[in-house]
Every structure is written in structure tokens, then in C-alpha cells.
């Protein structure tokens, strides 16, 4: 599909589809600005694929999934507005590829969700829900309902972002000892953003806390963050609270540890599959409290996010300014349409370098060459920053990227020298860690409509930056690639494309390899590769 039209729309011509129930305040905001949205809730993916045609904007809460299929079926769609913070129900990568802006309302439900987590902590510690069920069924009896005080108990907050900070703050008021783990805050060496909350390692948090509450986004790096091994190392009698996203906890492992009595209770507002099937093993247990994804369900939060998204979508369609965009700079839709594929490329370069670097990222130096890129030099560096931060920071976008980078001690600078290659437009990025001991360079351009990685450090190559890339430093002698190929092949992994080079290290008989794989190698396969005498180092990058 061609990138969406960038013409500004008169509100009377703009077609907006509201796909989930929104607070009525949104309709008032739209009406005041002259828009008349349509409402069609509860559509299946196939129904939405048909319905979406001709609409310029789609607004969702969390029920409707804006999948790749829906985005590709849309012929006029310019913006997807998510009334809420998490955008995991929208395929943002495909939206970006298609030049469709995805925007969220990052702050409207922070307090409400934080307060739910606090309510779950209180309910769990005093068996409130079980007790109520018992009394409602006519049984006035406190047997088995002996609770625990919160005062003096250690609470571990995983993810000290907006919601995590609300929870930490409120729980200190309950006289709990609050510690938190957040790799970004930790790596900056900064003191905790919440007075009285100590930053600790994930291991220390997991092993020492009486209550553990999760407030991180669901991403590749956080999926199953509380896996069987970590859950197994928790303190006996621990209580686990998840009001962030299903998928952060290994539910099967949680169940086993509840059954054994090691974990005293779990309060879950979210599950890996929602809604759960009737025979879901976590249902019907006395030690598990489940709410139906209620985090943002308060009058205040629903009002806030509905008003915010209506204002943002209206402004984008009629003025071309994208506030709180996940995948686009706050630039006019016209400029965005022209640079959309370089925005994707910038994100990939940032993500590649952040993953390639040993140690936390501290500096990104960006050099843009070519007329098109110079037109967008205020915005493209942001795409690199967003790509570099997004693997670890939830909700980072083009509006808040600079702020988030400052909070996390990452500097974005204009690079010194340009490149004299024959590329019409080229992005060059140098990423450095603390003190600059480690640094890597990557260059990219767009051929036709496809972003390409054309240089990494001293090696000139031509790779599409997508999927799994295995980067090797190995002995430059015959047979090494064959060894790699057979270990990967034995694990059922196909090498889609490969680039090799000796770069600067030619004299030291060292070579580098970039192998695009059709899936991510498991840890045993990686170990087998690392065990080869000929392999000096190995790195997996997910793009
Ligand atoms: P946020 O971006 O402000 O905070 C997330 C924090 O997690 C960041 O500080 C980040 O550095 C940290 N983080 C990232 N990876 C981590 C890791 N591996 N270990 C520890 N910390 C890590 O986001 P927020 O507004 O606080 O929201 C958090 C999440 O809550 C959202 O992503 C969303 O999925 C969920 N949420 C759920 C509901 C609900 O209805 N239950 C409502 C709103 C938000």
C-alpha cells in the first residue's frame, strides 16, 4: 500500500471509526471540532478488514486488535488512536511500514492503574475477595482467612515508570519498605526518582520481597520476566501482583508454585490470554484473585483517555500534528509521508546499535547526508533514539524520546563527518557506551521502498535490517562458515542471507559475519556455536 495521503482534512470530510467503547466525552470533543465519527464495536478481524476501508482514523481501547491484516486492508487509514497507554493491540511495525501514525494517551490512566495495584495488594494480604464470597454465600466464618500486615513488609516494584512510581509512593504511605528494579534508572547510576525507594537488582528484588508487583510493558525483553527459574527463587510466602500485562509471568510455573504453597497468593488483572477459558487452571483457586483487565477502568481514567485521544486524532487529521505518536515525529503529515521509510530505517539502526553495544548506551552521533534527509534533520535523529530506547523503555515515542534519553543518560549529538558514498541519502550513526570504550558505527539507506544496512564499523554490506541477525567475530580461515551452518542447520535454523568481511582486522586473521536467520537460536544452539574454537564472539540482534 502507498503511504497514506498527507493532505489535511476538513473535519466534515474526515472519517473516523471508533472500534471500542469510549467515554461519551470523546464524542463531545469531536462534535465541538466538527467531526462526526462512526461507532462499530465488537467487530471480528475479518469484519474490521471490510469496515475499515475509507476511514482515515481508527480509535481503539484494548479489545480491538489492529493487526497487520487490518492495517493492510485499510486504504485510507492515516492514524490509529489508542485510548490508553499500552499499544500491544496495534501492530506498530506494520503501521510504521505503511506510514500510519499510531498514537496513545500515556498519562490519562496512570493514577487509576497504580491505585488498582495497591487495591490488589491490600485484597491479597487480607483475603478480602474470598472473605466476601464466603459471607455472600451465607457463611459467616473466618477460618483460613488469617491475613498478613503490610506495615514493614518489603514490596518489590518491577518497572519504576509512571505507574510503578504511583504504586511505590502509595505503598510507602502504607508503611511498606519499597524497593524497585528498573534497568534504565539503574544504568544511569541516578538516585531513585521516588524518595525512599531503593533501586536494587532484579535478583535481589526477586529473592528478598514479600510482595512483587509488575509495572513494565510487554516486549520481547520482558516476556516471561517472572519465569519458572525466577519465581522459584522468590521468598517462600511471596505474593505476586500483575496489573501490567499478561505474558510477563510464566502462568504454568506460577500455578505449580501456588500448588506447592511456595507462593502464598497472586493477584492478576491481566492474563496471557484474555478472556481466559472456563477451565483456565488459575481460575477457581482460593489463592488467586483475578480481575478482568480493570487497570484503567475508572470514570476519571476513561474520561481522561477519551478526551485526550479525541483531541489528538482531531488535531492530527485537521492540522497534521501528531501528539503522543508512537511511530512518528510531531511533524506535519506531509513531511512524514516523504520520510516514512527513513523513519523505519532510523529506528532499525538505533535498535541494532543499542543491542550490539556492550554496556549501557550513552551517546548516539547521527550524520544525515542527502537533500531529503536534511529536510527532516530535526526529526530523523529522534527515530534513531526511539529505536535505541524502545527495547527497554515502554511508551517511548517521538514526543518524549529526548526527555526519556535525558532521564536515562543517553546523549543525541550531530555527528562530525559526512560520508562520501554514492548514496543519494544516507544515515550514519555512531553509538558509544560509558566513557566511549565501546563504540560501533552503522550506516543505512533506502533502496526503492526497502531500508538497508550498508555499513557496520569497517565492513560494507547490504542487509535488510529485519528479523534475527547473528553477528560473529571468527577466525578468517576455511570451514568456519560451514561449522556455523551445520550447527544452525541441526537446530532447524535457516540462514536467509549472509555478509562476511575482514574489515580492519585482516592482518590479525579475524573476520566478521552477519547472518540473517529465519528464527532466533535457542540457548543450547548459541552455546554450541560459542564452543567452537574458531568463534571469538557471538551476538544476536533482533530487528
Ligand atoms: P512507563 O513506560 O512509564 O514505565 C515502564 C517502566 O518499565 C520504564 O521505567 C522502563 O524503564 C521499565 N522497564 C523496561 N524494561 C524493564 C525490565 N526488564 N525490568 C524492569 N523495568 C523495566 O509505563 P507505565 O505508564 O508505567 O505503564 C506500564 C505498563 O502498565 C504499560 O506498558 C501497560 O502495559 C500496563 N498498563 C496496564 C493497564 C491495565 O489495564 N492493567 C493500564 C495501563 C497500563
Amino acid at each position: 500500500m502507498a503511504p497514506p495521503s498527507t493532505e489535511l482534512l476538513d473535519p466534515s470530510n474526515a472519517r473516523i471509526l471508533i472500534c471500542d467503547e469510549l467515554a461519551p466525552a470523546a464524542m463531545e470533543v469531536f462534535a465541538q471540532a466538527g467531526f462526526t465519527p462512526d461507532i462499530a464495536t465488537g467487530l471480528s478481524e475479518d469484519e474490521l478488514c471490510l469496515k475499515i476501508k475509507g476511514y482515515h482514523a481508527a480509535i481503539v481501547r484494548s479489545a480491538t486488535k489492529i493487526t497487520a491484516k487490518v492495517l493492510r486492508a485499510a486504504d485510507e487509514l492515516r492514524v490509529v488512536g489508542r485510548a490508553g497507554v499500552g499499544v500491544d493491540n496495534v501492530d506498530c511495525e506494520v503501521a510504521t511500514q505503511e506510514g500510519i501514525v499510531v498514537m496513545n494517551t500515556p498519562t490519562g490512566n496512570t493514577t487509576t492503574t497504580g491505585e488498582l495495584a495497591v487495591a490488589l495488594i491490600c485484597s491479597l494480604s487480607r483475603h478480602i475477595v474470598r472473605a466476601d464470597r464466603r459471607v455472600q454465600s451465607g457463611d459467616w466464618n473466618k477460618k483460613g482467612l488469617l491475613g498478613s500486615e503490610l506495615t514493614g513488609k518489603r514490596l518489590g516494584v518491577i518497572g519504576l515508570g509512571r505507574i510503578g512510581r504511583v504504586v511505590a509512593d502509595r505503598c510507602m504511605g502504607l508503611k511498606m519498605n519499597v524497593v524497585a528494579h528498573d534497568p534504565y534508572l539503574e544504568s544511569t547510576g541516578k538516585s531513585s526518582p521516588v524518595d525512599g525507594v531503593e533501586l536494587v537488582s532484579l535478583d535481589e528484588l526477586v529473592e528478598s520481597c514479600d510482595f512483587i508487583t509488575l509495572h513494565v510493558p510487554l516486549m520481547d525483553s520482558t516476556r516471561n520476566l517472572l519465569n519458572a527459574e525466577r519465581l522459584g527463587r522468590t521468598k517462600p510466602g511471596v505474593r505476586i501482583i500483575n496489573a501490567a500485562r499478561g505474558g510477563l509471568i510464566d502462568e504454568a510455573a506460577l500455578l505449580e508454585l501456588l500448588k506447592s504453597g511456595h507462593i502464598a497468593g497472586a493477584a492478576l488483572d491481566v492474563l496471557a490470554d484474555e478472556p481466559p477459558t472456563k477451565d483456565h487452571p488459575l481460575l477457581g483457586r482460593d489463592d488467586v484473585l483475578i480481575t478482568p483487565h480493570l487497570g484503567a477502568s475508572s470514570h476519571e481514567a476513561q474520561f481522561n483517555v477519551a478526551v485526550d485521544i479525541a483531541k489528538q486524532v482531531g488535531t492530527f487529521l485537521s492540522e497534521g500534528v501528531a501528539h503522543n505518536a508512537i511511530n512518528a515525529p510531531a511533524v506535519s503529515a506531509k513531511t512524514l509521508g516523504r520520510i516514512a521509510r527513513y523513519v523505519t530505517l532510523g529506528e532499525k539502526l538505533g535498535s541494532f546499535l543499542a543491542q550490539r553495544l556492550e554496556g549501557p548506551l550513552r551517546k548516539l552521533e547521527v550524520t544525515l547526508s542527502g537533500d531529503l534527509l536534511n529536510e527532516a534533520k530535526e526529526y530523523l535523529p529522534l527515530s534513531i533514539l526511539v529505536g535505541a530506547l524502545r527495547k527497554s523503555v515502554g511508551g517511548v515515542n517521538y514526543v518524549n524520546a529526548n526527555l526519556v534519553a535525558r532521564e536515562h543518560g543517553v546523549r543525541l549529538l550531530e555527528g562530525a563527518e559526512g560520508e562520501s558514498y554514492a548514496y543519494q541519502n544516507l544515515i550514519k550513526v555512531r553509538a558509544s557506551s560509558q566513557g566511549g570504550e565501546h563504540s560501533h558505527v552503522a550506516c543505512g539507506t533506502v533502496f526503492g521502498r526497502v531500508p538497508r544496512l550498508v555499513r557496520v564499523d569497517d565492513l560494507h554490506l547490504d542487509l535488510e535490517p529485519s528479523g534475527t541477525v547473528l553477528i560473529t567475530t571468527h577466525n578468517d580461515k576455511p570451514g568456519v562458515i560451514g561449522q556455523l551452518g551445520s550447527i544452525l542447520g541441526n537446530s532447524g535454523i535457516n540462514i536467509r542471507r549472509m555478509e562476511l568481511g575482514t574489515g580492519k582486522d585482516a592482518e590479525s586473521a579475524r573476520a566478521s559475519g552477519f547472518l540473517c536467520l529465519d528464527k532466533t537460536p535457542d540457548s543450547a544452539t548459541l552455546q554450541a556455536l560459542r564452543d567452537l574454537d574458531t568463534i571469538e564472539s557471538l551476538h544476536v540482534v533482533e530487528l
Side-chain angles (χ1 to χ4, degrees):
M1 188 182 109
S5 162
T6 53
E7 294 293 309
L8 298 182
L9 285 169
D10 185 89
S12 58
N13 295 328
R15 297 195 62 207
I16 300 170
L17 183 66
I18 298 179
C19 306
D20 290 325
E21 273 176 36
L22 270 192
M27 298 306 274
E28 285 165 30
V29 171
F30 278 129
Q32 273 167 14
F35 294 98
T36 40
D38 294 332
I39 302 174
T41 56
L43 298 185
S44 68
E45 186 182 44
D46 287 341
E47 287 166 340
L48 191 54
C49 285
L50 292 175
K51 181 79 184 168
I52 199 80
K53 294 196 191 299
Y55 282 98
H56 304 112
I59 297 184
V60 295
R61 274 175 59 199
S62 50
T64 298
K65 311 259 178 285
I66 302 290
T67 59
K69 198 169 156 191
V70 172
L71 290 164
R72 293 200 168 111
D75 50 1
E76 297 283 342
L77 198 62
R78 300 170 179 205
V79 55
V80 176
R82 157 81 168 106
V85 59
V87 285
D88 35 287
N89 56 330
V90 181
D91 191 325
C92 295
E93 188 165 345
V94 172
T96 305
Q97 280 165 13
E98 301 295 339
I100 297 168
V101 171
V102 180
M103 51 178 59
N104 67 350
T105 54
T107 55
N109 55 27
T110 300
T111 304
T112 285
T113 308
E115 286 184 1
L116 179 80
V118 177
L120 293 177
I121 292 170
C122 296
S123 305
L124 204 53
S125 66
R126 300 302 293 273
H127 313 292
I128 306 280
V129 176
R130 259 174 76 200
D132 174 65
R133 266 189 239 135
R134 193 180 287 183
V135 175
Q136 299 287 351
S137 72
D139 185 9
W140 184 268
N141 167 11
K142 46 182 118 177
K143 193 160 182 270
L145 296 178
L146 202 61
S148 308
E149 275 186 2
L150 297 179
T151 300
K153 293 290 178 332
R154 192 167 164 98
L155 169 71
V157 178
I158 302 183
L160 199 57
R162 286 177 290 259
I163 297 171
R165 289 175 202 195
V166 169
V167 175
D169 174 68
R170 306 308 191 262
C171 287
M172 280 195 301
L174 293 169
K175 308 291 177 209
M176 298 185 84
N177 295 324
V178 183
V179 297
H181 170 70
D182 194 310
Y184 260 87
L185 294 171
E186 234 169 71
S187 69
T188 57
K190 277 191 181 176
S191 56
S192 167
V194 185
D195 279 349
V197 174
E198 189 194 346
L199 292 177
V200 297
S201 69
L202 184 57
D203 283 344
E204 182 180 341
L205 185 150
V206 159
E207 287 164 16
S208 67
C209 285
D210 304 294
F211 291 79
I212 296 175
T213 182
L214 284 156
H215 300 287
V216 298
L218 180 63
M219 305 180 288
D220 291 345
S221 59
T222 57
R223 194 174 294 283
N224 277 337
L225 190 63
L226 290 187
N227 56 18
E229 188 270 328
R230 286 203 178 102
L231 287 171
R233 281 194 283 120
T234 52
K235 203 171 156 183
V238 67
R239 291 179 169 87
I240 311 274
I241 296 91
N242 186 6
R245 280 290 179 272
L248 296 173
I249 302 181
D250 179 337
E251 289 175 359
L254 175 68
L255 178 66
E256 286 314 307
L257 289 162
L258 284 161
K259 280 184 183 165
S260 74
H262 177 88
I263 293 180
L268 310 172
D269 184 47
V270 285
L271 291 169
D273 290 314
E274 296 174 10
T277 53
K278 284 207 168 86
D279 59 351
H280 192 293
L282 287 170
L283 292 179
R285 292 187 62 85
D286 277 347
D287 48 7
V288 178
L289 191 170
I290 301 184
T291 48
H293 207 134
L294 278 186
S297 296
S298 75
H299 296 294
E300 294 81 356
Q302 288 315 306
F303 177 88
N304 291 342
V305 298
V307 167
D308 287 353
I309 205 65
K311 285 185 182 161
Q312 288 173 206
V313 167
T315 305
F316 179 69
L317 293 178
S318 60
E319 296 170 31
V321 181
H323 292 293
N324 290 327
I326 294 295
N327 63 343
V331 279
S332 73
K334 194 170 172 194
T335 307
L336 176 62
R338 284 164 60 78
I339 60 166
R341 291 192 168 80
Y342 282 93
V343 170
T344 303
L345 171 68
E347 288 188 13
K348 298 279 187 185
L349 290 175
S351 173
F352 175 85
L353 286 166
Q355 294 178 69
R356 180 78 189 90
L357 213 57
E358 284 136 49
L361 174 67
R362 284 290 162 263
K363 190 165 67 176
L364 286 166
E365 293 162 272
V366 178
T367 310
L368 303 174
S369 320
D371 293 342
L372 173 61
L373 302 192
N374 278 320
E375 239 181 72
K377 66 179 175 208
E378 312 258 306
Y379 310 111
L380 277 172
L382 283 183
S383 68
I384 295 153
L385 196 54
V386 168
L389 295 171
R390 196 175 269 162
K391 284 261 173 209
S392 330
V393 186
V396 64
N397 66 23
Y398 288 78
V399 178
N400 65 14
N402 276 320
L403 184 69
V404 172
R406 268 200 301 282
E407 282 174 4
H408 293 112
V410 178
R411 285 188 299 151
L412 179 66
L413 304 172
E414 205 173 309
E417 81 283 27
E419 286 290 334
S420 55
Y421 302 148
Y423 298 111
Q424 213 177 351
N425 292 293
L426 186 86
I427 304 179
K428 175 182 174 188
V429 190
R430 175 183 295 279
S432 313
S433 64
Q434 191 91 45
E437 304 90 17
H438 299 286
S439 81
H440 288 285
V441 174
C443 298
T445 189
V446 174
F447 293 154
R449 293 158 60 104
V450 187
R452 316 293 298 191
L453 190 58
V454 294
R455 188 186 137 191
V456 175
D457 297 327
D458 293 307
L459 182 63
H460 292 262
L461 37 74
D462 177 16
L463 284 183
E464 192 180 333
S466 70
T468 305
V469 183
L470 180 69
I471 306 172
T472 62
T473 306
H474 55 263
N475 291 357
D476 189 19
K477 58 183 191 192
V480 179
I481 299 304
Q483 289 177 318
L484 290 171
S486 44
I487 291 176
L488 291 168
N490 288 340
S491 300
I493 298 172
N494 192 26
I495 304 175
R496 288 190 289 113
R497 194 181 160 84
M498 183 168 67
E499 291 272 356
L500 300 170
T502 47
K504 250 191 199 160
D505 288 323
E507 282 161 30
S508 63
R510 273 228 226 101
S512 306
F514 291 79
L515 286 71
C516 298
L517 308 180
D518 66 348
K519 59 181 175 210
T520 309
D522 60 19
S523 49
T525 308
L526 285 175
Q527 196 52 51
L529 293 169
R530 285 200 175 96
D531 287 345
L532 290 171
D533 292 345
T534 45
I535 296 294
E536 203 169 291
S537 73
L538 207 66
H539 224 89
V540 179
V541 170
E542 300 287 351
L543 295 168

